[in-house]
Amino acid sequence: MSVLTITTDNFREAVIDASKEKPVLIDFWASWCGPCRMLSPVVDQIAEEQDSVIVGKVNVDEQPELAAAFDVQSIPTLVLIKNGEVADVSVGVRPKPAILKMING
Amino acid sequence: MTEYDILVVGGGTAGMTAGIYGARAGKKVLVLEELICGGQIVNAAEVENYPGIPSVSGADFSAALFDQASNAGAEFDFQSVDAIRKEADHFLVDTPSGPIAARAVILATGAKNRPLGVDREDTFTGRGVSYCATCDGAFYRGKTVAVVGGGNTALDDALVLSELAAKVYLIHRRDEFRGEKSTLELAETKENVTVLRSSAVTALQGEKKLAGITVKDLKTGSEQEIPVDGLFIAVGQMPQNDRFSDLIELENGYIRAGEDCRTSCPGIFAAGDCRTKTVRQLATAAGDGAVAALAALEYLQKK
């Protein structure tokens, strides 16, 4: 599945509401952050391979309110939302198997 | 089992360049990266010494290199490599999800950030402890930070942070810095930079986030607690090739190979910072990637 761009406009629908059907993995990133840029292909690959999760990205420069709402202090940060609530948070770059484990438990 | 012509271990500049050359030569190439592609340059704020590109961020450079290698046809997978076994006419590369067969292997494992080795360093990583001032510096705008290390990275980090943070402590366990003298002098002219020589960070304080560090004066033995919001660790890099030591010769942890990138085992090549060499630069990593890939192609042709 393709990766969604999450903004304050679509947050309720694309994340909160959608997470009641399927977990949503949000990747907080910024264009100047090298590790974030290079985590992107990993997250893209997960989005392609895993039907069990919806993957979205939040650009923290463009969406400071969302970054603040999730208390994101370091990027990349991955947040897993299940049933409208934060189920897990992972700060920093993580290996793909660890991200898959976060999603699939 | 799918057999690759060339399997590249490590997706840094050397590995991805090898991927470009291998794929453009029509070979089936897989790049295995255990974390994220790009290698050390990912964290560089600005690259100004890569020929033909006057100025580029490490982020843009790595992303472009990844796209270039992918578009050329190199496949990427994100998992670790535990060992390499030599079979009659190919190699088996062991990963947590099983072995992958390849006719030739290019090791481009690079070097990784050396941890400081202080208690709870892992716990606070991303919660005050960082290995990348250019990535995380912006989060410490107006705050107090410390940089540990004595090389160019530590000095550069202190300079970068002096523009953002209210206060920067630069802590080094020796009297003399290994980094450029001019950079040190520039850092010392900054009003908000305090240099602590012959000093070591011996403990980290804080509950959920880093709140302070204990700094020991190595000459007097006295300790002081300094409240900081961020600690940037820049104490060097280390190679990670021990898992291959039964197949190829190592020297101080680096893979023994000359400018031709050939290791002691025919069919296995070494490119970039992971091999024995004197210059470890972005341009030489790219050069190694090309040399190793072309050597692997020649090896495949003669086989």
Side-chain angles (χ1 to χ4, degrees):
Chain A
M1 208 156 65
S2 63
V3 176
L4 302 170
T5 299
I6 310 290
T7 64
T8 45
D9 293 336
N10 68 3
F11 181 75
R12 176 147 292 281
E13 188 192 350
V15 177
I16 300 298
D17 295 347
S19 72
K20 286 163 188 164
E21 304 286 322
K22 257 186 206 187
V24 178
L25 182 74
I26 313 177
D27 173 12
F28 288 88
W29 73 288
S31 62
W32 48 264
C33 160
C36 303
R37 294 280 292 280
M38 298 319 291
L39 186 64
S40 203
V42 181
V43 170
D44 293 350
Q45 208 174 69
I46 288 171
E48 238 172 69
E49 292 167 359
Q50 300 282 315
D51 287 329
S52 60
V53 68
I54 297 166
V55 178
K57 292 186 190 182
V58 172
N59 184 318
V60 298
D61 288 335
E62 291 167 8
Q63 304 294 326
E65 298 91 346
L66 287 180
F70 285 91
D71 193 24
V72 173
Q73 303 224 353
S74 181
I75 49 173
T77 287
L78 296 173
V79 176
L80 188 70
I81 313 281
K82 282 183 181 170
N83 296 314
E85 287 176 12
V86 174
D88 206 348
V89 178
S90 155
V91 179
V93 166
R94 290 282 177 269
K96 185 181 172 188
I99 301 172
L100 290 175
K101 202 174 169 199
M102 180 180 171
I103 295 167
N104 299 322
Chain B
M1 194 196 298
T2 318
E3 185 180 73
Y4 287 89
D5 296 315
I6 301 172
L7 189 148
V8 182
V9 183
T13 300
M16 290 199 283
T17 304
I20 293 170
Y21 274 78
R24 283 176 56 86
K27 298 298 173 191
K28 194 169 169 57
V29 181
L30 175 67
V31 180
L32 282 181
E33 165 56 48
E34 64 179 349
L35 203 56
I36 52 169
C37 284
Q40 295 169 58
I41 205 64
V42 161
N43 294 325
E46 207 67 41
V47 180
E48 294 182 337
N49 59 6
Y50 195 83
I53 307 175
S55 176
V56 64
S57 71
D60 286 344
F61 181 85
S62 331
L65 186 50
F66 178 84
D67 289 343
Q68 191 179 2
S70 300
N71 293 338
E75 295 173 40
F76 284 84
D77 198 7
F78 300 95
Q79 57 178 335
S80 54
V81 168
D82 300 321
I84 298 172
R85 287 176 283 151
K86 189 170 168 42
E87 302 280 295
D89 61 344
H90 64 267
F91 297 96
L92 286 177
V93 177
D94 288 320
T95 73
S97 62
I100 302 171
R103 294 167 65 213
V105 174
I106 295 173
L107 297 174
T109 55
K112 67 182 255 186
N113 290 324
R114 190 184 293 280
L116 188 58
V118 67
D119 243 15
R120 298 200 294 164
E121 187 171 344
D122 275 352
T123 316
F124 287 129
T125 297
R127 294 275 176 231
V129 171
S130 170
Y131 299 85
C132 176
T134 52
C135 325
D136 296 338
F139 291 104
Y140 297 90
R141 209 177 284 276
K143 297 187 173 175
T144 300
V145 299
V147 177
V148 191
N152 278 324
T153 306
L155 296 176
D156 287 343
D157 283 1
L159 274 184
V160 166
L161 291 164
S162 73
E163 300 293 326
L164 298 162
K167 176 79 197 167
V168 180
Y169 291 95
L170 174 58
I171 304 166
H172 183 36
R173 65 199 162 102
R174 301 190 193 285
D175 269 338
E176 297 289 324
F177 281 80
R178 280 190 323 279
E180 300 270 344
K181 199 164 171 255
S182 58
T183 318
L184 175 64
E185 283 167 0
L186 188 57
E188 282 178 319
T189 62
K190 302 278 177 180
E191 274 184 10
N192 60 344
V193 175
T194 299
V195 181
L196 301 174
R197 291 178 164 82
S198 298
S199 298
V201 174
T202 53
L204 307 179
Q205 278 103 40
E207 294 291 323
K208 283 183 173 173
K209 287 178 193 169
L210 182 74
I213 52 176
T214 305
V215 178
K216 183 178 182 176
D217 185 317
L218 297 172
K219 283 186 174 161
T220 65
S222 67
E223 289 189 333
Q224 61 167 325
E225 287 192 10
I226 301 177
V228 298
D229 304 292
L231 176 66
F232 291 84
I233 297 170
V235 293
Q237 268 101 33
M238 50 189 190
Q240 37 206 338
N241 302 311
D242 290 349
R243 61 206 142 140
F244 311 125
S245 63
D246 53 345
L247 206 53
I248 50 170
E249 283 174 27
L250 304 181
E251 189 179 318
N252 296 326
Y254 291 94
I255 300 164
R256 193 192 291 268
E259 293 300 317
D260 60 2
C261 296
R262 290 171 202 272
T263 70
S264 57
C265 176
I268 300 186
F269 305 86
D273 286 4
C274 67
R275 79 170 172 90
T276 50
K277 62 194 308 200
T278 48
V279 179
R280 292 192 169 86
Q281 287 289 310
L282 189 62
T284 61
D288 269 19
V291 171
L294 294 173
L297 293 170
E298 190 195 336
Y299 167 82
L300 291 174
Q301 205 170 27
K302 282 186 181 165
K303 224 170 67 163

